[in-house]
Amino acid sequence: MSSVDVLNVQGEKAGSVELPDSVFDVQANIPLMHQVVTAQLAAARQGTHKVKTRGEVAGGGKKPYKQKGTGRARQGSIRAPQFAGGGVVHGPVPRDYSQRTPKKMKAAALRGALSDRAREGRVHVVESFVSGDKPSTKAAIATLRKATESTKVLVVLDFNDELNWTSLRNVPTVHLLEAGQLNTYDVLVADEVVFTKAALDEFLGQPADATAEEEDK
């Protein structure tokens, strides 16, 4: 297992936790991650686009001119696709873009993405971003900057962490997620991933192993 320091709100080391190799040190399967990310982005599409065919646009019921004798090409409607204001041929219609992705594939892709970030030292853990029970964006940013100076940060919080969520939700360089929402795309698009200790425990489904330094306190 690899270990990572746990920082307090002052940015000082308050202990460390072990990152299990089964999650943070696996071989990254790039084709798998690409497939999962593509499916996730496809599922986010609304699919409500719609154009009208020549049978749906208004007008065009009358033949524009007689069939023969004009020297022009024969036409049956001014709403044919070649006319301005006519229908669209083979245009988009409402559809569902979602792709079926097995849960095991999603989990494996997420492990690969987290492992890639962890191997480069871009996974961080903090106790909390603010102290007390009052939200403070200024204090939260100060704590975050002690962990990383990156301008594209994914912060993972536990389900009930309203204090840190309120403190960081308006920071444009930070993307917030609950531990249960962690996904491959958001990990890959961020330069750094910062967990709170509670969020890491929630994500792993059990308390992360702490070193003796933290247990002695």
Side-chain angles (χ1 to χ4, degrees):
M1 290 187 181
S2 60
S3 63
V4 60
D5 293 340
V6 179
L7 304 181
N8 58 22
V9 292
Q10 288 79 31
E12 301 170 347
K13 181 178 178 181
S16 60
V17 293
E18 299 290 342
L19 301 179
D21 292 343
S22 59
V23 178
F24 292 94
D25 191 22
V26 300
Q27 180 65 38
N29 187 330
I30 295 177
L32 173 62
M33 291 191 292
H34 178 271
Q35 181 177 346
V36 170
V37 168
T38 299
Q40 181 178 341
L41 295 178
R45 298 182 66 175
Q46 287 187 332
T48 55
H49 39 32
K50 176 69 172 73
V51 297
K52 292 184 178 181
T53 65
R54 62 180 296 171
E56 295 170 327
V57 292
K62 178 184 177 181
K63 189 174 177 65
Y65 47 81
K66 64 181 182 178
Q67 181 83 344
K68 294 178 179 295
T70 64
R72 302 173 66 185
R74 56 192 178 188
Q75 303 292 344
S77 171
I78 60 172
R79 293 297 181 253
Q82 66 268 27
F83 288 106
V88 177
V89 181
H90 305 308
V93 293
R95 56 166 290 192
D96 180 12
Y97 284 94
S98 62
Q99 305 174 17
R100 180 183 177 276
T101 308
K103 292 181 180 179
K104 289 185 178 180
M105 290 177 60
K106 294 179 181 178
L110 177 57
R111 290 194 297 267
L114 288 172
S115 298
D116 179 73
R117 293 294 181 263
R119 278 190 287 268
E120 296 178 354
R122 294 193 282 174
V123 173
H124 312 278
V125 180
V126 299
E127 289 183 333
S128 179
F129 291 95
V130 294
S131 57
D133 56 1
K134 184 177 180 181
S136 172
T137 299
K138 182 178 180 180
I141 293 176
T143 301
L144 180 62
R145 291 292 171 258
K146 298 293 178 55
T148 174
E149 293 289 340
S150 176
T151 57
K152 294 178 68 176
V153 182
L154 173 63
V155 173
V156 186
L157 305 175
D158 68 279
F159 181 76
N160 297 315
D161 195 349
E162 295 183 6
L163 178 64
N164 288 315
W165 189 283
T166 306
S167 300
L168 288 169
R169 63 185 177 185
N170 292 326
V171 182
T173 59
V174 173
H175 181 56
L176 293 175
L177 282 181
E178 295 175 2
Q181 298 174 325
L182 194 59
N183 60 84
T184 306
Y185 173 77
D186 286 319
V187 171
L188 293 178
V189 80
D191 292 330
E192 307 274 344
V193 181
V194 182
F195 289 86
T196 60
K197 179 64 168 58
L200 181 61
D201 292 343
E202 182 178 321
F203 173 67
L204 296 176
Q206 60 185 7
D209 292 333
T211 61
E213 178 183 351
E214 186 178 16
E215 293 173 346
D216 292 340
K217 292 186 177 181

